[in-house]
Amino acid sequence: MDNFLRHSGIEVPEPVRRFLQGESDGSLRVEQYQEGNTLVIRVELPGIDPESDVDISVTDDTLHVQAWREENTERAGQMGYRSEFRYGKRSRSIPLPRGVNQDSIAATYEDGVLDIRIELPEQSEPQATKIRVVRTSGRTTTQPPQEPEDYVG
């Protein structure tokens, strides 16, 4: 699409160009993997100040990351100005395993990448519970049917 727009000579406004190129998504791009018992989430955030432009929180076993980047308005009005940088607010919500200790979450920022490390809770063996299925013979009832009186069990 970019080649078509570039070679057609048609002047396309920046928001329209970004939409046509698939850049309208407001989500942050992430990389997620596990190192031992640590969940690692890396977020691509170039050109931001992590201390003032990023908000990280956890609610209901979900990690929320928000970041914003303001456009430099001094350059925006200059002749021939063109920018492919992403500006505005971006966010991402990532489900976490149950029981994550929120105090164990640590975040660092280096070379445009936000690195979030989360200690995973110890997983116990899943417990299986057998559920008895009762035939209702077409009856609609909340009580299981009574066993016949002559039943020997």
Side-chain angles (χ1 to χ4, degrees):
M1 180 60 73
D2 193 36
N3 284 338
F4 173 75
L5 294 175
R6 194 176 313 139
H7 295 296
S8 69
I10 300 171
E11 188 65 33
V12 179
E14 189 69 19
V16 174
R17 183 188 63 75
R18 287 183 183 187
F19 174 77
L20 292 173
Q21 291 177 334
E23 296 180 19
S24 61
D25 183 16
S27 295
L28 295 169
R29 295 179 181 175
V30 301
E31 181 177 76
Q32 181 175 333
Y33 55 93
Q34 190 170 334
E35 280 183 354
N37 66 341
T38 301
L39 176 64
V40 179
I41 300 170
R42 294 169 40 94
V43 185
E44 185 180 56
L45 289 173
I48 57 107
D49 178 357
E51 294 175 355
S52 63
D53 299 339
V54 176
D55 182 41
I56 303 170
S57 62
V58 176
T59 54
D60 299 327
D61 293 326
T62 302
L63 177 74
H64 304 282
V65 180
Q66 283 188 344
W68 44 94
R69 185 175 180 192
E70 299 294 324
E71 186 171 9
N72 186 338
T73 54
E74 295 172 11
R75 290 188 214 129
Q78 293 180 342
M79 185 73 156
Y81 176 76
R82 178 173 182 257
S83 175
E84 294 182 1
F85 288 3
R86 291 181 173 194
Y87 296 103
K89 185 177 182 180
R90 305 252 182 232
S91 64
R92 188 71 178 259
S93 294
I94 301 163
L96 298 174
R98 288 183 192 242
V100 166
N101 179 359
Q102 294 184 21
D103 295 332
S104 74
I105 300 174
T108 57
Y109 180 84
E110 184 177 351
D111 296 332
V113 177
L114 177 67
D115 186 270
I116 303 169
R117 294 183 177 261
I118 304 166
E119 185 179 319
L120 295 172
E122 290 191 30
Q123 300 293 325
S124 60
E125 289 295 317
Q127 295 181 358
T129 303
K130 181 124 174 113
I131 307 296
R132 180 176 171 217
V133 178
V134 179
R135 184 183 306 262
T136 61
S137 302
R139 294 180 290 192
T140 55
T141 178
T142 57
Q143 298 291 326
Q146 298 295 319
E147 293 178 350
E149 292 178 18
D150 61 339
Y151 177 76
V152 177

